[in-house]
Amino acid sequence: MAVNLPPHYHDAEARYKKAQTPEDKLAALKEMWVLLPKHKASEKVQADLKTKISELTDQIEQAKSGPKKAAPGTFKFQRQGAGLVVFAGPPNCGKSLLMTKLTKATPAVAPYPFTTREPILGMMDYEDARVQLVDLPPITADHYEPFVTDVTRAADAAVLFLDLADDDGPAATKAVVERLQRARRELVPPGTPPTDDPTTYAIPTVLVANKGDDEAADVRLEIAREELDARLPILVISAERGDNLDALRKAIYDALGVMRIYTKQPGKPADMTAPFTPPVGSTVAELAGKVHRDLEDAVKSARVWGSGVHDGQTVGRDHVLNDKDVVELHT
């Protein structure tokens, strides 16, 4: 679908391309954001603008804060599976132990703080889908690795940790939330509408209350409900004992807001082993773009097996798909 950009947008885009300083580039990008029509056809342009605005805002703020220590490395992960989910929490909250229970990753697990010094990547299986998990270094009011801002920009969802075995657990988790807010990362309940502020990333978040087997866990949980955002869904687990981990896998997957779609070629059985995972509410055309970017414009119709249709029913490119549909694309 065409975006139909207004003339003033193209003027601002020309200023962006000619700008010599980050400040001038950012001013032009913000003008483009205001002028951009906000509808389904412009979603890709919106996402691109938000990324550029966020990156430039980070660059300008880092320059204003003065020289910084050299980062140990740049951490960029090749996107795989249904989405990327970051683990964020205070020291000794059990993030690394949980990674070993949900994935095949082998982060260092020790009873002293700041064991995790750099992001640790693992793949979690949820039924026939896979989810990337990234264990971030601990966050406190005074300790925040600069690369966390970059890694969280790529996140599709987050798991925020609360330590139910620590009297200071609720305050420590609140400090994580506030430190991420300073980096313009808002932890919001899954399903929250996107923010209109292109400089802020709203990350769908599940609050995981770990060490639920502690004898004072119930008391600390009630304190946490008062101190933290009550809107965030809370799931009590024990990474040590393995309590409630199946429910956690589902909660993490559900926070991504995606659905599983299986594809097939004419006359052949569907591939039920590696579903595509477009956002909930995606159309046939948007699925085609996931299969191959050139297909999004080329696809004309599809046959669909699943809910809301007769088996093998022919539908148009704007037909909205449902979870676990089987789709045969036609150009």
Side-chain angles (χ1 to χ4, degrees), residues 60-74:
I60 291 169
E61 290 189 358
Q62 288 170 0
K64 288 179 179 178
S65 64
K68 61 179 183 179
K69 296 184 296 182
T74 299

mmCIF file with all atom_site columns, all heavy atoms in Angstrom, residues 60-74:
data_model
loop_
_atom_site.group_PDB
_atom_site.id
_atom_site.type_symbol
_atom_site.label_atom_id
_atom_site.label_alt_id
_atom_site.label_comp_id
_atom_site.label_asym_id
_atom_site.label_entity_id
_atom_site.label_seq_id
_atom_site.pdbx_PDB_ins_code
_atom_site.Cartn_x
_atom_site.Cartn_y
_atom_site.Cartn_z
_atom_site.occupancy
_atom_site.B_iso_or_equiv
_atom_site.pdbx_formal_charge
_atom_site.auth_seq_id
_atom_site.auth_comp_id
_atom_site.auth_asym_id
_atom_site.auth_atom_id
_atom_site.pdbx_PDB_model_num
ATOM 1   N N   . ILE A 1 60 ? 23.239 11.971 20.979 1.00 0.00 ? 60 ILE A N   1
ATOM 2   C CA  . ILE A 1 60 ? 23.369 13.353 21.456 1.00 0.00 ? 60 ILE A CA  1
ATOM 3   C C   . ILE A 1 60 ? 23.508 13.390 22.970 1.00 0.00 ? 60 ILE A C   1
ATOM 4   O O   . ILE A 1 60 ? 24.336 14.124 23.518 1.00 0.00 ? 60 ILE A O   1
ATOM 5   C CB  . ILE A 1 60 ? 22.159 14.182 20.987 1.00 0.00 ? 60 ILE A CB  1
ATOM 6   C CG1 . ILE A 1 60 ? 22.208 14.368 19.458 1.00 0.00 ? 60 ILE A CG1 1
ATOM 7   C CG2 . ILE A 1 60 ? 22.125 15.540 21.684 1.00 0.00 ? 60 ILE A CG2 1
ATOM 8   C CD1 . ILE A 1 60 ? 20.936 14.926 18.870 1.00 0.00 ? 60 ILE A CD1 1
ATOM 9   N N   . GLU A 1 61 ? 22.707 12.572 23.682 1.00 0.00 ? 61 GLU A N   1
ATOM 10  C CA  . GLU A 1 61 ? 22.772 12.576 25.140 1.00 0.00 ? 61 GLU A CA  1
ATOM 11  C C   . GLU A 1 61 ? 24.099 12.024 25.640 1.00 0.00 ? 61 GLU A C   1
ATOM 12  O O   . GLU A 1 61 ? 24.658 12.513 26.624 1.00 0.00 ? 61 GLU A O   1
ATOM 13  C CB  . GLU A 1 61 ? 21.607 11.768 25.711 1.00 0.00 ? 61 GLU A CB  1
ATOM 14  C CG  . GLU A 1 61 ? 20.270 12.454 25.522 1.00 0.00 ? 61 GLU A CG  1
ATOM 15  C CD  . GLU A 1 61 ? 19.147 11.769 26.272 1.00 0.00 ? 61 GLU A CD  1
ATOM 16  O OE1 . GLU A 1 61 ? 19.413 10.724 26.906 1.00 0.00 ? 61 GLU A OE1 1
ATOM 17  O OE2 . GLU A 1 61 ? 18.019 12.273 26.224 1.00 0.00 ? 61 GLU A OE2 1
ATOM 18  N N   . GLN A 1 62 ? 24.631 11.007 24.965 1.00 0.00 ? 62 GLN A N   1
ATOM 19  C CA  . GLN A 1 62 ? 25.924 10.455 25.357 1.00 0.00 ? 62 GLN A CA  1
ATOM 20  C C   . GLN A 1 62 ? 27.035 11.469 25.147 1.00 0.00 ? 62 GLN A C   1
ATOM 21  O O   . GLN A 1 62 ? 27.960 11.574 25.952 1.00 0.00 ? 62 GLN A O   1
ATOM 22  C CB  . GLN A 1 62 ? 26.200 9.174  24.566 1.00 0.00 ? 62 GLN A CB  1
ATOM 23  C CG  . GLN A 1 62 ? 25.333 7.997  25.005 1.00 0.00 ? 62 GLN A CG  1
ATOM 24  C CD  . GLN A 1 62 ? 25.426 6.814  24.063 1.00 0.00 ? 62 GLN A CD  1
ATOM 25  O OE1 . GLN A 1 62 ? 26.148 6.857  23.067 1.00 0.00 ? 62 GLN A OE1 1
ATOM 26  N NE2 . GLN A 1 62 ? 24.682 5.754  24.365 1.00 0.00 ? 62 GLN A NE2 1
ATOM 27  N N   . ALA A 1 63 ? 26.948 12.259 24.069 1.00 0.00 ? 63 ALA A N   1
ATOM 28  C CA  . ALA A 1 63 ? 27.950 13.290 23.818 1.00 0.00 ? 63 ALA A CA  1
ATOM 29  C C   . ALA A 1 63 ? 27.899 14.380 24.886 1.00 0.00 ? 63 ALA A C   1
ATOM 30  O O   . ALA A 1 63 ? 28.930 14.888 25.335 1.00 0.00 ? 63 ALA A O   1
ATOM 31  C CB  . ALA A 1 63 ? 27.744 13.898 22.436 1.00 0.00 ? 63 ALA A CB  1
ATOM 32  N N   . LYS A 1 64 ? 26.685 14.732 25.334 1.00 0.00 ? 64 LYS A N   1
ATOM 33  C CA  . LYS A 1 64 ? 26.545 15.765 26.363 1.00 0.00 ? 64 LYS A CA  1
ATOM 34  C C   . LYS A 1 64 ? 27.073 15.295 27.715 1.00 0.00 ? 64 LYS A C   1
ATOM 35  O O   . LYS A 1 64 ? 27.537 16.110 28.517 1.00 0.00 ? 64 LYS A O   1
ATOM 36  C CB  . LYS A 1 64 ? 25.066 16.155 26.509 1.00 0.00 ? 64 LYS A CB  1
ATOM 37  C CG  . LYS A 1 64 ? 24.530 16.976 25.344 1.00 0.00 ? 64 LYS A CG  1
ATOM 38  C CD  . LYS A 1 64 ? 23.063 17.304 25.560 1.00 0.00 ? 64 LYS A CD  1
ATOM 39  C CE  . LYS A 1 64 ? 22.515 18.155 24.417 1.00 0.00 ? 64 LYS A CE  1
ATOM 40  N NZ  . LYS A 1 64 ? 21.063 18.441 24.596 1.00 0.00 ? 64 LYS A NZ  1
ATOM 41  N N   . SER A 1 65 ? 27.016 13.994 27.966 1.00 0.00 ? 65 SER A N   1
ATOM 42  C CA  . SER A 1 65 ? 27.452 13.480 29.269 1.00 0.00 ? 65 SER A CA  1
ATOM 43  C C   . SER A 1 65 ? 28.960 13.371 29.369 1.00 0.00 ? 65 SER A C   1
ATOM 44  O O   . SER A 1 65 ? 29.492 13.011 30.411 1.00 0.00 ? 65 SER A O   1
ATOM 45  C CB  . SER A 1 65 ? 26.822 12.104 29.528 1.00 0.00 ? 65 SER A CB  1
ATOM 46  O OG  . SER A 1 65 ? 27.276 11.154 28.587 1.00 0.00 ? 65 SER A OG  1
ATOM 47  N N   . GLY A 1 66 ? 29.657 13.666 28.265 1.00 0.00 ? 66 GLY A N   1
ATOM 48  C CA  . GLY A 1 66 ? 31.118 13.663 28.299 1.00 0.00 ? 66 GLY A CA  1
ATOM 49  C C   . GLY A 1 66 ? 31.691 12.325 27.903 1.00 0.00 ? 66 GLY A C   1
ATOM 50  O O   . GLY A 1 66 ? 30.958 11.376 27.606 1.00 0.00 ? 66 GLY A O   1
ATOM 51  N N   . PRO A 1 67 ? 33.009 12.206 27.892 1.00 0.00 ? 67 PRO A N   1
ATOM 52  C CA  . PRO A 1 67 ? 33.659 10.950 27.495 1.00 0.00 ? 67 PRO A CA  1
ATOM 53  C C   . PRO A 1 67 ? 33.217 9.810  28.391 1.00 0.00 ? 67 PRO A C   1
ATOM 54  O O   . PRO A 1 67 ? 33.003 9.982  29.588 1.00 0.00 ? 67 PRO A O   1
ATOM 55  C CB  . PRO A 1 67 ? 35.157 11.250 27.680 1.00 0.00 ? 67 PRO A CB  1
ATOM 56  C CG  . PRO A 1 67 ? 35.251 12.737 27.642 1.00 0.00 ? 67 PRO A CG  1
ATOM 57  C CD  . PRO A 1 67 ? 33.981 13.251 28.237 1.00 0.00 ? 67 PRO A CD  1
ATOM 58  N N   . LYS A 1 68 ? 33.097 8.655  27.792 1.00 0.00 ? 68 LYS A N   1
ATOM 59  C CA  . LYS A 1 68 ? 32.694 7.486  28.574 1.00 0.00 ? 68 LYS A CA  1
ATOM 60  C C   . LYS A 1 68 ? 33.701 6.366  28.377 1.00 0.00 ? 68 LYS A C   1
ATOM 61  O O   . LYS A 1 68 ? 34.486 6.354  27.448 1.00 0.00 ? 68 LYS A O   1
ATOM 62  C CB  . LYS A 1 68 ? 31.300 7.007  28.159 1.00 0.00 ? 68 LYS A CB  1
ATOM 63  C CG  . LYS A 1 68 ? 31.218 6.580  26.699 1.00 0.00 ? 68 LYS A CG  1
ATOM 64  C CD  . LYS A 1 68 ? 29.826 6.099  26.378 1.00 0.00 ? 68 LYS A CD  1
ATOM 65  C CE  . LYS A 1 68 ? 29.750 5.600  24.945 1.00 0.00 ? 68 LYS A CE  1
ATOM 66  N NZ  . LYS A 1 68 ? 28.413 5.106  24.611 1.00 0.00 ? 68 LYS A NZ  1
ATOM 67  N N   . LYS A 1 69 ? 33.661 5.416  29.284 1.00 0.00 ? 69 LYS A N   1
ATOM 68  C CA  . LYS A 1 69 ? 34.552 4.264  29.170 1.00 0.00 ? 69 LYS A CA  1
ATOM 69  C C   . LYS A 1 69 ? 34.222 3.491  27.902 1.00 0.00 ? 69 LYS A C   1
ATOM 70  O O   . LYS A 1 69 ? 33.071 3.377  27.511 1.00 0.00 ? 69 LYS A O   1
ATOM 71  C CB  . LYS A 1 69 ? 34.399 3.349  30.390 1.00 0.00 ? 69 LYS A CB  1
ATOM 72  C CG  . LYS A 1 69 ? 34.809 3.976  31.701 1.00 0.00 ? 69 LYS A CG  1
ATOM 73  C CD  . LYS A 1 69 ? 34.724 2.975  32.824 1.00 0.00 ? 69 LYS A CD  1
ATOM 74  C CE  . LYS A 1 69 ? 33.316 2.513  33.050 1.00 0.00 ? 69 LYS A CE  1
ATOM 75  N NZ  . LYS A 1 69 ? 33.198 1.572  34.178 1.00 0.00 ? 69 LYS A NZ  1
ATOM 76  N N   . ALA A 1 70 ? 35.256 2.947  27.308 1.00 0.00 ? 70 ALA A N   1
ATOM 77  C CA  . ALA A 1 70 ? 35.038 2.133  26.113 1.00 0.00 ? 70 ALA A CA  1
ATOM 78  C C   . ALA A 1 70 ? 34.234 0.892  26.477 1.00 0.00 ? 70 ALA A C   1
ATOM 79  O O   . ALA A 1 70 ? 34.500 0.240  27.473 1.00 0.00 ? 70 ALA A O   1
ATOM 80  C CB  . ALA A 1 70 ? 36.379 1.723  25.505 1.00 0.00 ? 70 ALA A CB  1
ATOM 81  N N   . ALA A 1 71 ? 33.231 0.621  25.681 1.00 0.00 ? 71 ALA A N   1
ATOM 82  C CA  . ALA A 1 71 ? 32.404 -0.564 25.924 1.00 0.00 ? 71 ALA A CA  1
ATOM 83  C C   . ALA A 1 71 ? 33.199 -1.814 25.585 1.00 0.00 ? 71 ALA A C   1
ATOM 84  O O   . ALA A 1 71 ? 34.049 -1.798 24.705 1.00 0.00 ? 71 ALA A O   1
ATOM 85  C CB  . ALA A 1 71 ? 31.133 -0.506 25.076 1.00 0.00 ? 71 ALA A CB  1
ATOM 86  N N   . PRO A 1 72 ? 32.951 -2.927 26.286 1.00 0.00 ? 72 PRO A N   1
ATOM 87  C CA  . PRO A 1 72 ? 33.684 -4.149 26.011 1.00 0.00 ? 72 PRO A CA  1
ATOM 88  C C   . PRO A 1 72 ? 33.375 -4.719 24.633 1.00 0.00 ? 72 PRO A C   1
ATOM 89  O O   . PRO A 1 72 ? 34.078 -5.576 24.144 1.00 0.00 ? 72 PRO A O   1
ATOM 90  C CB  . PRO A 1 72 ? 33.206 -5.097 27.112 1.00 0.00 ? 72 PRO A CB  1
ATOM 91  C CG  . PRO A 1 72 ? 31.882 -4.570 27.535 1.00 0.00 ? 72 PRO A CG  1
ATOM 92  C CD  . PRO A 1 72 ? 31.985 -3.087 27.389 1.00 0.00 ? 72 PRO A CD  1
ATOM 93  N N   . GLY A 1 73 ? 32.322 -4.240 24.002 1.00 0.00 ? 73 GLY A N   1
ATOM 94  C CA  . GLY A 1 73 ? 31.980 -4.727 22.674 1.00 0.00 ? 73 GLY A CA  1
ATOM 95  C C   . GLY A 1 73 ? 30.606 -4.232 22.279 1.00 0.00 ? 73 GLY A C   1
ATOM 96  O O   . GLY A 1 73 ? 29.878 -3.659 23.077 1.00 0.00 ? 73 GLY A O   1
ATOM 97  N N   . THR A 1 74 ? 30.294 -4.361 21.008 1.00 0.00 ? 74 THR A N   1
ATOM 98  C CA  . THR A 1 74 ? 28.977 -3.997 20.516 1.00 0.00 ? 74 THR A CA  1
ATOM 99  C C   . THR A 1 74 ? 28.162 -5.273 20.406 1.00 0.00 ? 74 THR A C   1
ATOM 100 O O   . THR A 1 74 ? 28.590 -6.233 19.773 1.00 0.00 ? 74 THR A O   1
ATOM 101 C CB  . THR A 1 74 ? 29.072 -3.310 19.146 1.00 0.00 ? 74 THR A CB  1
ATOM 102 O OG1 . THR A 1 74 ? 29.847 -2.121 19.288 1.00 0.00 ? 74 THR A OG1 1
ATOM 103 C CG2 . THR A 1 74 ? 27.691 -2.952 18.637 1.00 0.00 ? 74 THR A CG2 1
#
